[in-house]
Amino acid sequence: MENTPLLDGLRVVDLASWIAGPAAATVLGDFGADVVKVEPPVVGDAYRAFSRFPPNPEVDGINYTWQLENRNKRSIELNLKSPNARAVLERLVRWADVLVTNFPPPARARLGLDYEDLEQLNPRLIYADITGFGETGPDADKPGFDVTAYWARSGLMDMTRQGTAPPALNVFGAGDHATAISLFAGVMTALYRREKTGRGARVTASLIAEGAWGAGCWLSAVLAGASNPRPLDRRDPPNALGNTYRTADDRWLLLAFANEDKEVPLFLKAIGHPEAADNPHFKDSASRHAHAAEIVALLDETFATRPLAQWREVLDGAGLTYGVVQTLEEAAHDPQFVADGVFVPVDDGGTDGGTESYLTIDSPVRLDQEQKVRPRRAPELGEHTQAVLSEIGFDTTEIKDLASAGTIRLRGDA
């Protein structure tokens, strides 16, 4: 059928928690995969509770962050530590095309969740494994979040320091989402390999590797023997034309000139300083970099004379490359995001076919020739336990026995 989603029929077991692993499974679900999220009974994925903490993303009873990472999934409650859980897990593995996990290596070994264990059950399984610090080395078993493994350990955090100020925290989840896309790409590569070989594969991604990739422009230079770049100081940056400036209404602009020799004369004319083009400090790239502090002082004084709206007109009129440092509120109402489909409505499952009561953020991977699945409400904890277990071959009596043993919890159980 022409409207059948690209990954329709692909079966995914999401054993991961928090953001990076679950988000990779979400992208698979965006393209139509059937994703079953396995969660511990009663408490579920700890990320469900994130909305209770500042900045309190739960509004009007909607857990927006949970919705973002776990839309288009079904949820079952399964106590993996229960002796009877193995029978459920093995049927899920045989059912699945892809399994996503972020258990630390010691926990995987204790639970019998290593790739070598599961490959024997399903040789076609794509085993997608995400860690904080990779699979080998002295820190492989350490827990890691994106703020520690991706942001701090990679050197990215150090590069945010302004002068002697402390380094800045990254936006929570930024490294997780980047790593999720890498894991998604790995899964799709492994699926292509399976088409060619008939065999499954183990796919790995880590927050520390993603951080090194993110810091690559600087880190690769240091690896080659270059001196460590100093932390950025906007008053004396490496390049005054790749820097932030405050406007008269206390807003910030970011200049980003890629073709300086062409753009600098246009820029100086646009901001009312055409005479500066004859200043030796502006002569060429080397001069501009050597005299960055003096250029920043001039531009600070200039940009402080007009509000943001006027500077946008000036810079747009000259066709120059710049960015506006927007607030999250401004980003949420930015018409470009809506026009380009970055924000998409959630189908809340209403009887009218789903109301567009709120928006979520689409995953960034797109194919012009394929339609994504419209985001559906993220599942309640254990919402689909009985249905999924029936689907993988458990009868009513077996399901009740599993519930009695504490291996699963059915909705409505205390």
Side-chain angles (χ1 to χ4, degrees), residues 301-320:
E301 182 179 340
T302 302
F303 278 109
T305 62
R306 300 189 198 181
L308 174 63
Q310 291 185 20
W311 283 121
R312 293 184 74 162
E313 291 181 6
V314 168
L315 297 174
D316 284 338
L320 296 165

Side-chain angles (χ1 to χ4, degrees), residues 100-225:
V100 180
T101 179
N102 64 350
F103 283 109
R108 287 200 315 258
R110 286 195 306 270
L111 295 169
L113 287 174
D114 283 324
Y115 174 61
E116 292 75 16
D117 301 318
L118 304 187
E119 180 194 21
Q120 298 176 34
L121 301 171
N122 182 355
R124 288 175 56 82
L125 181 70
I126 306 303
Y127 181 100
D129 183 16
I130 203 159
T131 63
F133 296 104
E135 296 294 325
T136 58
D139 295 337
D141 293 349
K142 283 187 176 181
F145 289 99
D146 77 330
V147 291
T148 60
Y150 168 85
W151 188 241
R153 190 70 175 267
S154 68
L156 285 168
M157 190 175 190
D158 182 63
M159 292 304 297
T160 67
R161 287 193 292 127
Q162 295 284 310
T164 58
L169 287 172
N170 69 327
V171 176
F172 189 85
D176 287 310
H177 281 151
T179 309
I181 295 300
S182 291
L183 191 66
F184 167 75
V187 168
M188 298 306 295
T189 304
L191 288 170
Y192 179 70
R193 177 183 181 273
R194 191 175 75 173
E195 286 296 304
K196 298 180 70 173
T197 67
R199 301 286 301 182
R202 183 184 181 200
V203 176
T204 62
S206 70
L207 293 167
I208 195 173
E210 195 72 32
W213 184 247
C217 291
W218 291 312
L219 189 54
S220 62
V222 176
L223 285 170

Side-chain angles (χ1 to χ4, degrees), residues 30-98:
D30 285 347
F31 284 100
D34 181 3
V35 182
V36 172
K37 184 170 183 65
V38 179
E39 303 184 65
V42 184
V43 295
D45 183 342
Y47 191 57
R48 286 181 177 272
F50 181 67
S51 63
R52 300 174 192 165
F53 303 100
N56 188 25
E58 185 165 322
V59 182
D60 298 329
I62 300 170
N63 191 335
Y64 291 100
T65 48
W66 180 254
Q67 175 66 41
L68 177 63
E69 318 300 350
N70 291 285
R71 59 176 177 255
N72 298 338
K73 296 181 183 180
R74 297 189 285 169
S75 169
I76 70 170
E77 293 181 74
L78 177 64
N79 179 5
L80 291 173
K81 296 178 181 178
S82 168
N84 298 321
R86 190 68 190 181
V88 179
L89 180 65
E90 288 186 1
R91 291 199 196 184
L92 284 170
V93 169
R94 291 189 175 100
W95 172 86
D97 295 289
V98 179

